[in-house]
Amino acid sequence: MCPVACGGTMARMVQPPSVARSAAGMSRASRRAGRPPHLWAVVLAACAGQFLVVLDVSVVNVALPSMRTDLGLSAVGLQWVLNAYTLTFAGFMLLGGRAGDLFGRKLMFLTGLGVFAAASLAGGLAQEGWQLVAARAAQGVGAAVLAPSTLTILTTAFPEGPARTRAIGTWTAVGAGGGAAGGLVGGVLTGALSWRWVLLINVPVGALVLVAAALWLAESRDGVRRRLDVPGAVLVTGGLSAVAYGIVQTESAGWTAASALVPLAGGLLVLAGFVALEARTREPLVPLGLFRLRSVSAANVAMFVNGAAMFCMWYFMSLYMQNVLGFTPVQAGLGFIPQSLSIVLGSKLAPRVMQWTGARTLAVTGTLVAAGGYFWQTGMHAGGGYLDTVLGPGVLMALGAGLSATPLASVATSGAEPGRAGLVSGLINTSRTMGGALGLAILSTVAAGGIEGSGAAGQAAGYALAFRTGAWMLLGSAVLMLLTLPRPEGRGPQEGSDDGSARPARADRTAAERRTG
């Protein structure tokens, strides 16, 4: 999962199907209060919340070496600083969106932001590595509750039309900006102050947004009463965390050691329990019937694999620039700017290019472009320079990531009925984030096994091995897409599609939706 792509496409990822039913909620509340809604405050609050959520995916990357030195973190502990956040964020995000529909979007916005800010304070004040990891996990839970509400408070404040379109466009741009700015902000804060400030900065900003939201946001919720699938969210998050922990343990203990096999087996059993629970519950977190649609299942698998390979890019490049090339945190943050701009460019170009190539072709092409950058990155070495071992491959990897994310989301939603498009979009974002967390565990283990000695050359060799493994994962993903993604039905955009992606015939789509229940 690349942070800028996450921010830039979040508008297509977390929209709940209930938005249209609640569009008038805020205006009614404002009329009851006898004053017009403060729409500028609504936009400000929503965008600030989105910015904080996306920023914290990427802002810690540059600060990782400083965190390790100050808290004595091991290589395993270092990757859990990232994975603790992404696993809880992905595992609870669908639950957070449903909680907003049920209990009220304003309440969930305030609750999520409060948890996020408090966890940021705890992480910034951490004195031990485990305290930082625990705080990052709590941050992920807060972000999972906060993120869906940042969009729905906009859609409930603005009626359909140009004003809502401009508001969502601003929200999307701010999300992309948060991902792009993460490396630079993290580098400046770490270099000028301390790594602690990449977390502590969320506290005053969060407090200001909390006050503004409490004063000026109006409450809205769905009239339909639904239960929350809390057990499902806990099981999928716990199962993936156990599997990730077991994978990491194999590097030091081996695949046959109990310390690796027990969490691996336990995690797989928990995930099996999650599937069994979702098949039986009346209102599941993830309706398994949706995966009978080829477009949904194939796109989610492809996004999971792409996320597993691409999320590690920022992690290993930050370590390479600082641990091998000797960059300061500020220099490393500046070094990420071209990659961030490249992924924004790819994300912006993708919808236009899709009209000519189709979503399937562009998804495969973008993945192959990223794989080319990964193979180029395997040439990193201790005597490398910024232009040849960071800038060139980094721009290519980021461009491919930006080009591939949007068409995969388009394919996933193309076969679903409109009422479930928001749910399917949320599923594919969850697949990408969870794939990124599991991929980081795998590739960190690969890198640790490839490091030869403690010198810069040995570390570069380990990082290069991780990129080589990621490149083969991306090639496998491209082959998987060619074999499983639906083919376009003729030339040009298909019925009901503006991107040229394949859609099932109307009768087939209706029959498939009936089978999902």
Side-chain angles (χ1 to χ4, degrees):
M1 180 195 68
C2 299
V4 184
C6 177
T9 58
M10 188 76 80
R12 293 181 293 275
M13 300 297 179
V14 298
Q15 295 187 46
S18 56
V19 166
R21 296 197 299 271
S22 57
M26 186 163 193
S27 59
R28 289 197 300 268
S30 299
R31 287 197 296 271
R32 288 196 298 269
R35 54 180 170 82
H38 296 271
L39 294 181
W40 63 269
V42 175
V43 175
L44 178 63
C47 290
Q50 171 73 349
F51 184 84
L52 289 176
V53 168
V54 177
L55 182 74
D56 260 65
V57 176
S58 58
V59 73
V60 300
N61 280 312
V62 176
L64 288 172
S66 299
M67 291 176 175
R68 181 175 187 177
T69 300
D70 194 18
L71 298 180
L73 286 164
S74 64
V76 172
L78 200 63
Q79 58 102 357
W80 277 105
V81 174
L82 293 179
N83 265 355
Y85 182 87
T86 53
L87 280 169
T88 52
F89 181 32
F92 286 91
M93 184 164 54
L94 292 176
L95 186 72
R98 191 164 292 180
D101 293 342
L102 183 60
F103 299 114
R105 284 111 190 182
K106 176 181 177 179
L107 176 61
M108 290 299 100
F109 182 92
L110 297 175
T111 301
L113 184 56
V115 171
F116 184 86
S120 298
L121 177 62
L125 299 178
Q127 301 300 312
E128 300 287 343
W130 69 266
Q131 295 171 353
L132 177 59
V133 171
R136 289 285 288 170
Q139 264 192 317
V141 174
V145 175
L146 172 63
S149 297
T150 63
L151 178 61
T152 52
I153 63 173
L154 278 183
T155 55
T156 55
F158 291 87
E160 288 192 27
R164 180 189 285 189
T165 301
R166 287 194 299 270
I168 293 178
T170 302
W171 177 87
T172 304
V174 168
L184 180 59
V185 171
V188 170
L189 290 175
T190 303
L193 298 171
S194 163
W195 67 263
R196 298 181 182 277
W197 279 98
V198 302
L199 300 174
L200 293 176
I201 192 66
N202 295 327
V203 179
V205 176
L208 289 174
V209 178
L210 273 172
V211 171
L215 290 176
W216 288 314
L217 294 186
E219 188 58 277
S220 66
R221 60 172 60 87
D222 280 356
V224 181
R225 301 293 296 180
R226 297 179 296 177
R227 67 180 291 272
L228 289 176
D229 186 14
V230 177
V234 172
L235 285 176
V236 70
T237 305
L240 281 172
S241 299
V243 170
Y245 179 79
I247 290 172
V248 170
Q249 289 296 104
T250 62
E251 193 279 324
S252 58
W255 284 96
T256 59
S259 59
L261 288 177
V262 170
L264 279 172
L268 293 175
L269 285 175
V270 171
L271 290 175
F274 166 74
V275 173
L277 175 68
E278 298 303 282
R280 296 174 61 88
T281 187
R282 294 182 59 183
E283 296 182 13
L285 185 69
V286 180
L288 299 181
L290 281 174
F291 291 101
R292 296 173 187 165
L293 293 170
R294 179 181 174 185
S295 59
V296 174
S297 56
N300 272 275
V301 172
M303 187 66 91
F304 186 92
V305 178
N306 274 16
M310 293 179 182
F311 183 66
C312 74
M313 174 179 70
W314 311 89
Y315 176 80
F316 287 116
M317 288 183 71
S318 176
L319 296 181
Y320 174 67
M321 282 191 282
Q322 295 182 75
N323 293 347
V324 178
L325 300 184
F327 283 23
T328 66
V330 174
Q331 289 173 327
L334 291 170
F336 275 128
I337 291 179
Q339 290 93 315
S340 299
L341 294 176
S342 179
I343 200 171
V344 170
L345 176 63
S347 299
K348 295 298 182 184
L349 286 176
R352 299 176 182 272
V353 178
M354 267 198 303
Q355 296 180 15
W356 301 102
T357 65
R360 177 175 178 267
T361 300
L362 183 58
V364 173
T365 301
T367 301
L368 291 176
V369 169
Y374 268 64
F375 277 118
W376 186 355
Q377 191 69 74
T378 62
M380 64 201 321
H381 53 93
Y386 176 73
L387 292 179
D388 60 326
T389 59
V390 177
L391 178 62
V395 166
L396 201 60
M397 289 186 289
L399 180 64
L403 288 172
S404 62
T406 299
L408 282 175
S410 176
V411 170
T413 56
S414 67
E417 63 182 8
R420 289 191 169 185
L423 175 60
V424 173
S425 295
L427 283 176
I428 200 164
N429 195 41
T430 300
S431 294
R432 176 171 57 185
T433 308
M434 288 187 169
L438 198 60
L440 180 60
I442 295 171
L443 295 176
S444 294
T445 304
V446 170
I451 291 177
E452 304 167 354
S454 58
Q459 293 186 63
Y463 303 153
L465 180 59
F467 277 107
R468 186 175 298 110
T469 306
W472 286 109
M473 291 169 64
L474 289 173
L475 288 179
S477 179
V479 173
L480 180 69
M481 292 180 208
L482 287 171
L483 295 176
T484 61
L485 290 183
R487 295 178 179 273
E489 298 176 353
R491 296 180 180 178
Q494 304 301 310
E495 176 190 357
S497 172
D498 60 357
D499 57 35
S501 58
R503 287 179 180 267
R506 186 177 301 276
D508 293 343
R509 187 166 65 247
T510 303
E513 289 297 334
R514 287 198 196 100
R515 289 196 297 272
T516 67

